[in-house]
Amino acid sequence: MIEKVRAGRNQTITLSENEIPELEKKLLKSSLLKEKKLSGEELLKEITDKTINGDILESLELIPDNFADLIIIDPPYNLTKNFNGNIFNARSDSSYDEYLESWFPLVCKKLKSNGSLYMCGDWKCTSSLQRAIEKELTILNRITWQREKGRGAKTNWKNGMEDIWFAVKNPSDYYFDVEAVKMKRKVIAPYKVDGKPKDWEESDEGNFRLTYPSNFWDDISIPFWSMPENTDHPTQKPEKLYAKLILASSKPGDIIFDPFLGSGTSSVTAKKLGRHYCGIELNPEYCMLAEKRLELADKDKTIQGYRKGVFWERNTKFSD
């Protein structure tokens, strides 16, 4: 690993040489899992709350079907991207469809009959994601969230949005808790009836209204150098983003599965919210970053922008 020179206030999570041996011991290597030849409850116990370091296709063959209550997928988008030396190359739409077909049906087999699945994408690959999901599951919605971070574009519109497809195995039997994902918004024009607030509340922090979430989210901050959840992973998703998915579509104690774990956002957020987790990641350095973040979650269970059971608007400052 090449050590980067960072500013003194930079909170990016990194790996030191003396941490690596212990973090590496925590990884569940797919090759070792294969050698154990476990099944049933023994296999489920072995993979629960673990980071599986291995190839996705090989690892999917080793883990049980119908074990996950919720699956969150953040696959490589159809862009050329360097994932710590493993380069994913942009390809034609048809080739990207074939890529999805090579693993997505296998992932869906891991979902319980009443489970839910969310898959992330951008404008360029979202149609391919829709086609792949519709072959296996029932799509209920498409969430669009505002990605406020990013470089400008001189010959095109700056890309400031990403999608998350929401799908289930059984549209008549799935879990969804809208009360767990309400958002607290400032009231700009407070309306009163008989001198009392109507559908909003007064507090020392200001006037706010609890609102039900829509499928457009404009309250997400992308991890950056001054945020304690940040890593050097090039496409890291925010904990706040995944917290909404986990709280809405799983119960405490449920198992959250992520076949493209990256630096561990889904596992870390699941742990902070009292869920179990399992993730697959090919790159060992990203796996160790996930394990370090899981260790940090033992001491700090806060999620940026989520406080006292409510999601707050972006850049909200709290008094405590």
Side-chain angles (χ1 to χ4, degrees), residues 75-261:
Y77 298 176
N78 195 7
L79 303 166
T80 297
K81 186 73 68 171
N82 186 342
F83 294 98
N84 201 30
N86 184 20
I87 299 175
F88 185 89
N89 289 305
R91 55 200 73 185
S92 67
D93 289 345
S94 60
S95 293
Y96 190 74
D97 286 349
E98 291 175 6
Y99 164 71
L100 295 175
E101 189 67 27
S102 71
W103 56 263
F104 184 72
L106 300 175
V107 169
C108 291
K109 290 182 178 179
K110 311 307 170 185
L111 189 63
K112 290 181 179 179
S113 61
N114 62 346
S116 299
L117 179 145
Y118 292 93
M119 185 144 73
C120 304
D122 69 350
W123 70 270
K124 193 172 183 181
C125 72
T126 197
S127 58
S128 292
L129 301 184
Q130 181 180 11
R131 287 191 293 270
I133 297 170
E134 285 178 332
K135 292 178 182 178
E136 306 293 330
L137 306 171
T138 299
I139 293 176
L140 298 185
N141 213 325
R142 184 184 71 179
I143 299 162
T144 297
W145 61 282
Q146 184 180 25
R147 181 186 172 89
E148 90 289 356
K149 182 181 176 182
R151 289 176 292 183
K154 294 182 178 179
T155 59
N156 200 346
W157 304 105
K158 174 183 173 180
N159 182 26
M161 304 288 181
E162 290 193 18
D163 290 334
I164 305 177
W165 290 95
F166 171 35
V168 297
K169 267 195 175 180
N170 185 350
S172 62
D173 182 21
Y174 65 94
Y175 179 82
F176 192 80
D177 184 5
V178 73
E179 295 294 330
V181 286
K182 282 186 174 180
M183 184 177 176
K184 205 161 190 176
R185 289 188 178 274
K186 292 179 181 178
V187 176
I188 306 300
Y191 177 65
K192 294 185 177 182
V193 176
D194 297 328
K196 297 181 180 180
K198 181 175 175 57
D199 299 327
W200 58 276
E201 62 181 39
E202 293 178 298
S203 71
D204 294 337
E205 296 168 329
N207 301 327
F208 292 95
R209 174 183 289 110
L210 278 178
T211 63
Y212 285 97
S214 72
N215 61 354
F216 172 67
W217 299 350
D218 61 354
D219 61 319
I220 305 298
S221 294
I222 301 297
F224 55 94
W225 62 270
S226 66
M227 292 174 64
E229 69 184 82
N230 189 52
T231 73
D232 284 328
H233 191 284
T235 62
Q236 180 182 343
K237 292 296 185 288
E239 291 178 10
K240 184 180 182 181
L241 181 73
Y242 279 10
K244 294 190 176 196
L245 309 180
I246 291 170
L247 286 169
S249 295
S250 72
K251 301 183 289 294
D254 280 354
I255 297 179
I256 315 303
F257 175 51
D258 185 342
F260 292 91
L261 185 64

